[in-house]
Amino acid sequence: MWVVRTVIWPALVWLTRHGLRPALVVLGRVLVWLARYLVLWPLRWLGTVLTPVGRLVVAAVVGAWRTAGRMLRLLHRLLLRPLLSGVRWVWSVTVVPVARGLRAVWRATVAPAARWARRSVLDPARLAVREVLNALGLRR
């Protein structure tokens, strides 16, 4: 915009004031003709040719997308859903009972022993260390 205001427009004003207006009018008409016949018409023709091609490409992509979605849905219904149901059944019959048994054994054996060790050994040791550190002034 700066170039138009400072260079081009003052040059055009100077040319029109000094009698070159007819030459500028002819130049403008030539430029309009060139733009119309060398730019706009080929672009219009290209648009009329490429529009059906573009619509065809869009229709093909949309159709392929929908077909892929239908195929994936069919694959899910016919293959994955029964497979996952079978895996769920096998898991519930084999792994879940074993895990529940291990949990019961853990709660019956390890948990009481760990609770006894904490209450009988670790808690008194922790209290003794705390009292020693307090007595020495090393604990905040």
Side-chain angles (χ1 to χ4, degrees):
M1 202 63 183
W2 177 83
V3 173
V4 171
R5 276 192 242 146
T6 58
V7 177
I8 296 174
W9 188 252
L12 290 175
V13 169
W14 183 83
L15 288 173
T16 55
R17 288 186 182 160
H18 289 84
L20 297 176
R21 183 176 178 162
L24 288 176
V25 169
V26 170
L27 178 66
R29 287 183 181 162
V30 168
L31 290 176
V32 167
W33 184 87
L34 287 173
R36 179 179 293 151
Y37 291 103
L38 295 179
V39 176
L40 293 178
W41 280 23
L43 285 177
R44 189 175 299 140
W45 177 82
L46 190 63
T48 58
V49 170
L50 290 181
T51 298
V53 173
R55 288 181 180 161
L56 181 65
V57 167
V58 167
V61 168
V62 168
W65 185 263
R66 288 181 179 164
T67 303
R70 288 183 184 120
M71 293 300 292
L72 286 174
R73 187 179 318 126
L74 184 66
L75 177 73
H76 180 289
R77 286 182 184 166
L78 294 179
L79 184 65
L80 291 178
R81 190 182 291 167
L83 180 67
L84 290 176
S85 295
V87 168
R88 185 183 318 126
W89 180 80
V90 168
W91 183 270
S92 67
V93 170
T94 58
V95 175
V96 170
V98 171
R100 287 182 179 158
L102 287 174
R103 182 178 61 187
V105 168
W106 182 273
R107 287 183 178 171
T109 59
V110 175
R115 194 176 310 116
W116 174 85
R118 188 186 73 236
R119 288 183 183 159
S120 300
V121 177
L122 295 177
D123 285 346
R126 180 177 49 85
L127 290 174
V129 168
R130 179 186 294 171
E131 288 178 7
V132 168
L133 292 176
N134 282 339
L136 295 174
L138 298 174
R139 187 168 181 273
R140 296 181 208 180

